[in-house]
Amino acid sequence: NAGVTQTPKFRVLKTGQSMTLLCAQDMNHEYMYWYRQDPGMGLRLIHYSVGEGTTAKGEVPDGYNVSRLKKQNFLLGLESAAPSQTSVYFCASSDPTSSETQYFGPGTRLLVL
Amino acid sequence: GESVGLHLPTLSVQEGDNSIINCAYSNSASDYFIWYKQESGKGPQFIIDIRSNMDKRQGQRVTVLLNKTVKHLSLQIAATQPGDSAVYFCAERGDKIIFGKGTRLHILP
């Protein structure tokens, strides 16, 4: 199993550009999450999904949109990137029926100029 | 408000010694706690968890202690190895999961 994978690994954007971060998991997990990690701060939840076709806002959802069209994929979109969105983005998944453990991907480092 | 914090941002430990990483939490209603390890350039990796109805749980070379009276969580790593160098952070689950900022563990040769 590859676990949780994220693409791309690194990206540089100019202010106002858009992009989509892709997260994929092969563990058949129902729940998926998008976090951002900034220096000196803990992980903060952006959006999450409790199943295919459903999404919900987390702690810091503004400026981001998500979609969960397939169970194994969770996409995070930035419609108009801002320098404040420079961060490392982590995707995670979990299976609430067997464990509450979240399994994280390797991260996407995003720089917005 | 709710918060999860760590007492020390950086901890230096001699190789072979035991490491103790501490975490304070403020939500007395939190019922589940997790420790993660994050190596440089990688995503967080689950280490061990504990529920609020327990005060100690042991894994392979790691032990988590929970003191609900003072709302304190600790991670003990036995016989610290160079591969243990990482940032360790705790998380608590109340009505939501809150992650701490992390403590960097540095292993001295």
Side-chain angles (χ1 to χ4, degrees):
Chain A
N1 285 352
V4 180
T5 58
Q6 293 181 233
T7 53
K9 288 184 171 55
F10 177 69
R11 184 76 183 268
V12 179
L13 288 179
K14 295 181 179 178
T15 297
Q17 286 185 317
S18 63
M19 79 162 294
T20 300
L21 282 68
L22 173 63
C23 175
Q25 52 96 2
D26 61 2
M27 297 174 283
N28 202 36
H29 285 173
E30 284 293 336
Y31 289 13
M32 295 186 75
Y33 316 80
W34 273 108
Y35 293 92
R36 59 178 290 172
Q37 187 178 48
D38 301 293
M41 304 183 75
L43 289 164
R44 291 185 292 168
L45 183 64
I46 303 171
H47 285 280
Y48 65 99
S49 168
V50 298
E52 181 179 320
T54 70
T55 63
K57 294 181 180 180
E59 181 185 353
V60 289
D62 294 342
Y64 305 95
N65 57 75
V66 288
S67 65
R68 182 98 182 270
L69 298 179
K70 293 182 179 180
K71 186 177 183 179
Q72 63 268 34
N73 295 337
F74 195 28
L75 279 62
L76 178 70
L78 286 73
E79 290 187 350
S80 180
S84 61
Q85 293 178 303
T86 292
S87 187
V88 181
Y89 292 86
F90 288 101
C91 175
S93 70
S94 67
D95 178 3
T97 62
S98 64
S99 167
E100 296 175 81
T101 303
Q102 292 187 23
Y103 295 87
F104 285 83
T108 294
R109 188 173 296 273
L110 177 65
L111 175 62
V112 183
L113 302 175
Chain B
E2 299 169 3
S3 67
V4 173
L6 294 167
H7 294 314
L8 296 172
T10 303
L11 177 65
S12 294
V13 174
Q14 205 77 37
E15 182 178 347
D17 286 352
N18 296 337
S19 302
I20 300 176
I21 301 170
N22 297 303
C23 178
Y25 65 94
S26 60
N27 184 4
S28 57
S30 290
D31 62 354
Y32 178 63
F33 304 87
I34 314 138
W35 278 102
Y36 285 95
K37 173 185 180 182
Q38 187 174 18
E39 297 175 271
S40 181
K42 295 184 179 180
Q45 179 185 4
F46 170 85
I47 302 173
I48 192 169
D49 58 1
I50 188 169
R51 297 191 183 277
S52 58
N53 61 353
M54 302 171 68
D55 53 19
K56 180 179 180 180
R57 191 166 187 217
Q58 288 185 292
Q60 188 176 15
R61 273 203 314 121
V62 295
T63 301
V64 56
L65 300 177
L66 175 62
N67 186 331
K68 294 181 287 293
T69 302
V70 295
K71 287 183 260 182
H72 184 267
L73 192 68
S74 69
L75 176 71
Q76 300 179 2
I77 304 173
T80 309
Q81 303 169 358
D84 295 329
S85 287
V87 173
Y88 292 82
F89 57 89
C90 63
E92 65 173 310
R93 187 194 67 184
D95 57 347
K96 59 183 178 179
I97 293 180
I98 300 173
F99 293 88
K101 297 178 177 63
T103 291
R104 182 172 301 281
L105 180 61
H106 177 60
I107 311 304
L108 302 170

